[in-house]
Amino acid sequence: MDTARGTPRQATTEPAEYRAYHDPSRVAKLSTTVVHALADAMDVDVTDAGFVLYDIVDPDSLDRLFARTTDPQSGAPSHVAFTVDGYRVTVYSTGQIVITPPDTAARDRPY
């Protein structure tokens, strides 16, 4: 409670972002890392996630888009973003994956 005015304060907590990193020198494909990171962000087992990445974005295209090249100067930093069940997924060419959960307050609005 705000003691100066005696009015309740609104909670201003933002949904926490989930961050993961894809290491291109490892065996796993980027699309696989994204699926596992998204399941972690949703707090579900990857086999029970309830989504198919292919329904949202072509996994093979995602893998090729950020495929490692032999020339480190081959392109400018880039990213791609898409939404899965309200979660915003942003994949960066650096290997960083940022997942922002849906804003439940906005999602529950009647308009």
Side-chain angles (χ1 to χ4, degrees):
M1 175 151 311
D2 184 347
T3 56
R5 289 181 278 180
T7 55
R9 288 187 180 170
Q10 290 282 36
T12 58
T13 56
E14 291 291 320
E17 288 183 337
Y18 181 87
R19 294 179 177 267
Y21 177 76
H22 173 72
D23 183 351
S25 67
R26 299 266 189 182
V27 175
K29 293 181 178 183
L30 173 61
S31 56
T32 302
T33 304
V34 168
V35 168
H36 283 267
L38 192 51
D40 286 348
M42 294 174 157
D43 196 27
V44 296
D45 185 88
V46 70
T47 59
D48 298 327
F51 68 88
V52 177
L53 188 62
Y54 191 79
D55 290 342
I56 294 94
V57 65
D58 182 342
D60 293 330
S61 295
L62 184 63
D63 294 335
R64 283 192 306 270
L65 183 63
F66 296 121
R68 196 171 202 192
T69 64
T70 56
D71 179 10
Q73 303 298 323
S74 65
S78 57
H79 71 276
V80 64
F82 50 91
T83 303
V84 178
D85 289 345
Y87 288 77
R88 181 170 174 82
V89 180
T90 307
V91 181
Y92 294 90
S93 58
T94 60
Q96 188 76 21
I97 301 166
V98 178
I99 301 171
T100 306
D103 178 11
T104 54
R107 186 179 58 201
D108 294 340
R109 287 185 192 141
Y111 50 92

